[in-house]
Amino acid sequence: MIHAKSGDDYFLQQMVATAFTGTVHSVFQHALNIQRDGNGEIFTLATKAMDRAPNTLVIDLDTFDHLDIHQYDRVLVRHNQLLIEEKLQIAIHTATRWQCQLPIYPLNRTSLRMNMSSVKQFIDLQGKGGGIKRNDSPVNEFEAETSRLLQQRTTLLYEEILNQRLDRFQAYAADLVGLGPGLTPSGDDFLVGLFAVIHLENSPCSIYKPLCESVIKMIQPLTNEISYTTLKKAAYGQVRESICSFIHAILYGTEAESIEALRKVLAIGSSSGTDIALGLISGLEANIKLGG
């Protein structure tokens, strides 16, 4: 029996209050995705090396390797236990509840302005290229063209926000979905960061909040199920713990605290962390230029 350490409040509610059943969608070393029967929503089991996140249960396990769990294995919840066939039993009642709480955009932006420069410099030096961050030496023409499109479309979206034109926001955001490398494509990851900033209370960009929520209805066919779930949650201001911590640090912390929090965001996936961080920076820079 494995014990759950922490769980997203919504995921725990679904397991306790509903007849939760599904199948294994995909298995990685530190994450196992479950596709729920009925609506197809994706939920994640994460090892204790991972941070807390929407739709995620963090369990006291080091790895999913060697458990012989495969795609389409049946998942169900019974007597406060999540069961995957006869291969894994997880006690749910031991989980502490967690829900993403984004910080409030501050009235005093002194820390943000001071931290922004060092954070951007750190991403330039330590961020992973090939996605939103241009790779100076693309491995082939496809990567070069993808990079060009990512630059072009993120710039169009950024300028749309600065000009506070609402009519093209959804189209420009949708143009990024599914674009770029990775299980969660770079364009999707950029939007996760940008949507998080838009959802900060008192954020000058918050006029776009309803458009983030409505664009979700347009994009489901444009990306994979795992990335769509992450985007959908971000469109309602729900992102993983390391992203929340970084936003808090750059808004209210010191330079050292910002860089330390940034390291954990950059560690997400292969280039996903860099793409998310650049989405966050784009949103925060727009906030500053819009008078925030």
Side-chain angles (χ1 to χ4, degrees):
M1 174 76 71
I2 301 296
H3 291 88
K5 295 173 66 69
S6 175
D8 169 58
D9 187 62
Y10 170 71
F11 191 5
L12 290 174
Q13 284 182 29
Q14 295 302 301
M15 287 191 287
V16 172
T18 68
F20 188 98
T21 60
T23 55
V24 172
H25 175 278
S26 48
V27 186
F28 303 93
Q29 183 179 11
H30 293 294
L32 183 154
N33 295 305
I34 299 166
Q35 187 161 36
R36 187 173 189 178
D37 291 340
N39 64 7
E41 187 171 7
I42 298 292
F43 294 85
T44 301
L45 304 179
T47 67
K48 56 188 178 184
M50 305 287 281
D51 59 341
R52 296 180 287 190
N55 278 25
T56 297
L57 187 71
V58 179
I59 63 176
D60 190 15
L61 189 70
D62 292 319
T63 176
F64 288 103
D65 291 347
H66 315 303
L67 292 180
D68 197 35
I69 295 175
H70 302 286
Q71 188 180 26
Y72 305 126
D73 280 353
R74 291 296 298 167
V75 180
L76 61 87
V77 174
R78 180 186 297 159
H79 306 309
N80 279 323
Q81 294 178 16
L82 187 148
L83 311 173
I84 300 179
E85 304 280 352
E86 296 180 350
K87 302 173 182 178
L88 184 62
Q89 294 176 291
I90 301 169
I92 299 169
H93 70 279
T94 53
T96 58
R97 290 184 178 271
W98 174 83
Q99 186 172 24
C100 171
Q101 294 288 340
L102 289 170
I104 297 172
Y105 192 72
L107 294 174
N108 184 339
R109 269 78 67 180
T110 303
S111 293
L112 172 60
R113 292 175 185 276
M114 289 178 60
N115 293 332
M116 184 68 87
S117 176
S118 55
V119 162
K120 289 174 65 176
Q121 187 176 29
F122 192 86
I123 295 172
D124 284 342
L125 293 172
Q126 302 294 331
K128 181 79 178 290
I132 301 297
K133 182 184 175 187
R134 188 188 298 273
N135 188 344
D136 292 334
S137 302
V139 295
N140 52 44
E141 290 186 7
F142 179 78
E143 181 181 313
E145 176 62 8
T146 300
S147 179
R148 186 190 69 79
L149 289 173
L150 286 167
Q151 295 296 321
Q152 179 191 65
R153 294 177 183 181
T154 52
T155 300
L156 284 171
L157 184 58
Y158 177 73
E159 290 175 349
E160 181 77 1
I161 293 172
L162 285 188
N163 292 322
Q164 296 194 293
R165 294 190 299 260
L166 302 179
D167 56 326
R168 297 290 297 163
F169 177 87
Q170 290 172 297
Y172 288 150
D175 282 346
L176 281 167
V177 175
L179 181 62
L183 176 63
T184 54
S186 296
D188 299 23
D189 291 328
F190 178 88
L191 290 175
V192 167
L194 180 64
F195 287 176
V197 173
I198 288 173
H199 277 78
L200 300 180
E201 186 176 338
N202 298 334
S203 168
C205 293
S206 63
I207 59 170
Y208 292 95
K209 190 188 298 185
L211 297 183
C212 295
E213 297 165 4
S214 61
V215 77
I216 287 301
K217 299 172 184 173
M218 304 167 52
I219 64 173
Q220 187 165 12
L222 305 178
T223 191
N224 64 69
E225 293 150 327
I226 296 172
S227 193
Y228 174 73
T229 298
T230 305
L231 269 173
K232 183 179 179 182
K233 290 293 177 179
Y236 289 88
Q238 295 288 303
V239 292
R240 57 196 295 172
E241 185 177 27
S242 54
I243 298 174
C244 290
S245 299
F246 170 67
I247 296 173
H248 190 278
I250 195 171
L251 294 180
Y252 295 101
T254 64
E255 178 182 319
E257 289 167 343
S258 299
I259 297 300
E260 184 60 29
L262 175 61
R263 289 181 190 276
K264 295 178 181 175
V265 175
L266 295 183
I268 298 172
S270 178
S271 61
S272 285
T274 300
D275 298 329
I276 293 168
L278 290 172
L280 291 164
I281 295 303
S282 180
L284 292 169
E285 284 190 321
N287 270 351
I288 292 172
K289 290 188 177 180
L290 287 171

